[in-house]
Amino acid sequence: MATKLKEVDVVVVGLGWTGGILSKELTEAGLKVVALERGSLPSPGKDFAVPYIRDELRYVLRHELMQNAARDTLTIRNNPSQEALPMRRLGSFLPGEGVGGSGTHWSGHTWRWTDMEFKVRSMYEERYGKSFIPADMTIQDWGITYDELEPYYDKFEYTAAVSGKAGNIKGQIQPGGNPFEAPRARDYALPALTPILSGVMFAEAAKNNGYHPFPRPSANASRAYTNPDGSKYGACQYCGYCQRFGCEANAKGSPLVSVIPIAMRNPNFELRTNSWVTKVLKDSDGKRVTGVTYTNVLNGEEFEQPAGIVLLCAYAINNVHLMLLSDIGAPYDPVAQTGVVGKNYCYQNGVGATLFFEDKSFNPFISAGGSNVTIDDFNINWAFDRGPHGFVGGYNVAGGFNSALPIGYRPVPRGTPQWGKSWKAATAKWYQTAMTINASGSVAANRYNCFDLDPTYRNAFGQPLMRMTFDYKENEQKMGRHAAALVNTIAKSMNPTRLNEASSRDSWTVVPYQSTHNTGGTIMGTNPRDSVLNKYLQSWDCHNLFVVGANVFPHNASYNPTGPVGALAYWTADAIKNVYRKNPGPLVHA
């Protein structure tokens, strides 16, 4: 029997970037907020200090900051004809766990998604005609515009200490930045990171091939910084330990060093760790949610936390799972194409080449999470004609390093023995003298890529695991081949001693790590027939439920998702503070 607690104004499920932003903003507005986090609370000053944090075994191979797949997982299949099996160990993606979530162990790459994503269907139909989009491609406009979100991008970038070089300020193209980006009101919070040799070489090759390189914007503070809320960041040390690690210098944009400490100082805020939410509760007519039930994972006690507003701010996959478990919204059926919850799951597409130079020394262990130079000529550049290539979306290409660690980073030319004396000699020879060029591509939504509840496997609470059905479709295969050819052209122009050429993947597998960029499942849109949430991330079914995170994206871009995730969190917070709390009810009428 669950113990029923005193009602609060807001309950937040999950305390990473989105939960942290909303907790800070709503407590400052005078609302009583309780945040429930199923993991623990790390201390950046203690847990991420040198030398403790520089432990590749602990954080990379044993996934210290990630969800434990032995305790919580999902089942995986490529298509509906297959039997889905549980993911027994983390591989393709690495969801974070604990206060700070994936915002603790990310690399910091922070992009602004534009109307090429937000108006994806209408823009492609206008340019290429409706027949250009395959019948099974379920892309749709998001119901929001870049102009609406631009101030919130700015707010997030200045909160997260993003370093970069603007390419378009108020319509004026800026030398050294991304000439294809949408207009911004001002430059980034901090100057771009110090370039490294691999990035300099890639930039020169890209220019020589007629492209437009620029430093990748990233939440790695290029110098000491105090953000508008008073949170202090140290300068990046280029230590090489970024992705999958907490930051030893407090230089990485993280909710743990910015919005969460501010919320925790507010008497209106309460954090409960080790609190695993199992269900969102509804009232008798199903028009409102009334709170959540959760279990203390340390002692098994169960509680009911009533609340006037429920905010789902967990990792994207977990938000979708909780909606399905709570029976909020109609579950998606890919065959009948009915329902909406679970629809439009998307991942990312990518290819990469490794270049070996006998006459270079790259020092790959000296880098930041954002030590990359990027080109966007085949991504948000609308002058790139997709018509002859037959695909929707785009990809960005980058050269540089990110966490080239002693155990995991062992570049050797293809054909090298995989063990023994020859392998050891090759790793010694090429570690310092190799660099990579990688392309990251978008994934268009497809009717058969989706989530639902698994009929066979259950979690520790006896609830069905979530089932993921996903594979690359023809659209991604065409894009992958185009990206691989482009990467190889640039690589060959650099005249490496040896080259492991890029090649595209026709099918996806969950086994090797690729990216933690999972999107979709509770998508936003303009009406309840084809979306779960309205433009303010408010549930069409229950007006006092808001669901925040990359799970709201109707498709996935080539860019990392954290920029729009953070911007949408601020956008939703403003809607709750300034509109909803004054007159509770639907913010958009269907």
Side-chain angles (χ1 to χ4, degrees):
M1 185 73 176
T3 300
K4 189 170 183 177
L5 305 173
K6 182 180 179 181
E7 182 172 348
V8 295
D9 296 321
V10 181
V11 63
V12 174
V13 180
L15 196 62
W17 265 123
T18 59
I21 288 170
L22 282 150
S23 293
K24 171 192 169 294
E25 293 291 308
L26 298 183
T27 53
E28 288 179 345
L31 295 173
K32 173 66 177 176
V33 177
V34 167
L36 303 173
E37 168 57 51
R38 69 183 191 181
S40 59
L41 173 62
S43 166
K46 178 182 177 182
D47 297 328
F48 303 155
V50 175
Y52 178 84
I53 192 60
R54 297 191 185 183
D55 187 338
E56 189 177 352
L57 277 174
R58 186 183 191 100
Y59 291 100
V60 176
L61 300 180
R62 296 171 183 162
H63 301 137
E64 175 79 7
L65 297 175
M66 320 302 177
Q67 292 181 19
N68 183 349
R71 187 174 70 169
D72 182 37
T73 190
L74 63 163
T75 64
I76 305 288
R77 62 183 181 177
N78 288 121
N79 61 70
S81 68
Q82 296 176 337
E83 179 187 0
L85 297 174
M87 179 177 66
R88 297 296 188 184
R89 64 181 66 181
L90 296 177
S92 183
F93 44 85
L94 303 171
E97 185 167 279
V99 176
S102 296
T104 300
H105 67 76
W106 69 316
S107 295
H109 305 168
T110 309
W111 299 97
R112 293 187 174 198
W113 296 26
T114 70
D115 284 340
M116 285 193 70
E117 315 302 338
F118 304 146
K119 300 179 181 179
V120 61
R121 178 169 282 273
S122 57
M123 290 183 71
Y124 274 85
E125 287 183 350
E126 180 180 350
R127 177 158 184 173
Y128 297 109
K130 292 185 177 182
S131 62
F132 187 76
I133 300 174
D136 62 353
M137 185 181 289
T138 53
I139 58 172
Q140 63 185 52
D141 292 357
W142 295 32
I144 197 171
T145 67
Y146 174 83
D147 287 343
E148 288 178 299
L149 212 54
E150 197 281 333
Y152 300 94
Y153 277 131
D154 182 89
K155 188 168 185 176
F156 181 69
E157 289 166 359
Y158 274 72
T159 296
V162 176
S163 302
K165 178 69 182 76
N168 183 339
I169 298 179
K170 299 179 179 178
Q172 298 296 311
I173 302 301
Q174 307 294 310
N178 181 0
F180 307 114
E181 72 174 2
R184 59 176 60 242
R186 54 179 174 169
D187 211 330
Y188 287 98
L190 292 166
L193 294 163
T194 301
I196 58 177
L197 177 59
S198 55
V200 171
M201 290 174 58
F202 174 77
E204 181 180 4
K207 286 181 182 178
N208 290 340
N209 280 275
Y211 306 127
H212 303 81
F214 59 92
R216 174 169 291 187
S218 190
N220 311 130
S222 58
R223 62 190 184 199
Y225 175 69
T226 302
N227 78 7
D229 296 319
S231 301
K232 296 185 181 299
Y233 290 85
C236 179
Q237 305 295 302
Y238 302 90
C239 68
Y241 288 80
C242 197
Q243 187 179 62
R244 310 191 194 188
F245 297 88
C247 184
E248 64 188 56
N250 273 4
K252 182 163 58 176
S254 165
L256 267 180
V257 299
S258 56
V259 289
I260 291 174
I262 295 174
M264 291 180 69
R265 291 197 295 265
N266 194 310
N268 290 328
F269 179 77
E270 180 184 351
L271 168 63
R272 298 177 197 154
T273 57
N274 301 300
S275 299
W276 192 308
V277 176
T278 54
K279 191 174 183 179
V280 180
L281 303 173
K282 297 182 290 185
D283 62 11
S284 57
D285 65 4
K287 300 296 185 182
R288 295 180 69 258
V289 293
T290 60
V292 300
T293 56
Y294 71 93
T295 299
N296 182 318
V297 298
L298 299 181
N299 59 22
E301 289 185 273
E302 188 177 7
F303 298 91
E304 178 184 336
Q305 178 58 69
I309 300 173
V310 175
L311 304 178
L312 300 190
C313 297
Y315 185 70
I317 291 174
N318 299 333
N319 281 340
V320 183
H321 192 205
L322 195 51
M323 289 285 281
L324 288 168
L325 292 174
S326 304
D327 194 27
I328 300 173
Y332 174 65
D333 181 338
V335 177
Q337 293 195 82
T338 57
V340 285
V341 181
K343 180 182 178 181
N344 284 26
Y345 169 70
C346 291
Y347 191 49
Q348 277 196 306
N349 189 11
V351 302
T354 305
L355 296 72
F356 303 87
F357 299 86
E358 288 185 321
D359 60 343
K360 306 295 182 186
S361 183
F362 291 108
N363 293 335
F365 49 87
I366 302 175
S367 64
S371 290
N372 293 271
V373 172
T374 303
I375 61 171
D376 245 355
D377 297 70
F378 301 91
N379 186 31
I380 60 171
N381 176 18
W382 202 226
F384 167 50
D385 187 2
R386 277 79 165 168
H389 309 291
F391 62 78
V392 171
Y395 60 90
N396 66 78
V397 183
F401 288 105
N402 174 8
S403 303
L405 299 169
I407 297 173
Y409 180 70
R410 299 298 179 101
V412 293
R414 289 196 177 114
T416 300
Q418 296 184 21
W419 62 281
K421 183 176 180 180
S422 297
W423 175 79
K424 292 179 181 179
T427 58
K429 177 178 180 179
W430 296 114
Y431 174 82
Q432 281 272 34
T433 60
M435 64 168 282
T436 59
I437 299 176
N438 295 299
S440 175
S442 61
V443 168
N446 183 278
R447 64 181 289 187
Y448 293 109
N449 288 337
C450 58
F451 292 119
D452 65 353
L453 294 178
D454 192 276
T456 304
Y457 296 95
R458 295 181 174 269
N459 65 18
F461 300 101
Q463 298 173 307
L465 294 181
M466 191 160 70
R467 178 169 61 181
M468 174 192 291
T469 304
F470 177 76
D471 206 357
Y472 296 131
K473 306 302 182 183
E474 185 180 8
N475 188 75
E476 287 69 53
Q477 294 164 1
K478 289 179 178 178
M479 184 189 302
R481 290 191 289 270
H482 191 280
L486 185 278
V487 167
N488 290 334
T489 296
I490 297 176
K492 290 173 183 177
S493 75
M494 297 171 69
N495 298 312
T497 306
R498 300 282 297 273
L499 173 64
N500 292 349
E501 292 191 13
S503 59
S504 62
R505 294 188 295 259
D506 286 341
S507 188
W508 172 77
T509 172
V510 75
V511 178
Y513 179 73
Q514 291 150 71
S515 82
T516 306
H517 304 155
N518 308 92
T519 66
T522 60
I523 61 177
M524 61 191 295
T526 57
N527 65 77
R529 293 184 303 277
D530 56 19
S531 60
V532 178
L533 313 168
N534 64 29
K535 66 187 292 183
Y536 299 104
L537 313 190
Q538 180 187 40
S539 167
W540 291 110
D541 293 84
C542 303
H543 66 77
N544 62 332
L545 172 66
F546 295 79
V547 188
V548 193
N551 43 278
V552 311
F553 297 1
H555 72 284
N556 205 354
S558 81
Y559 286 158
N560 305 53
T562 312
V565 165
L568 284 166
Y570 279 116
W571 162 265
T572 299
D574 265 8
I576 294 172
K577 290 189 302 182
N578 300 324
V579 182
Y580 182 82
R581 66 180 300 209
K582 297 176 182 177
N583 186 23
L587 298 175
V588 177
H589 293 278

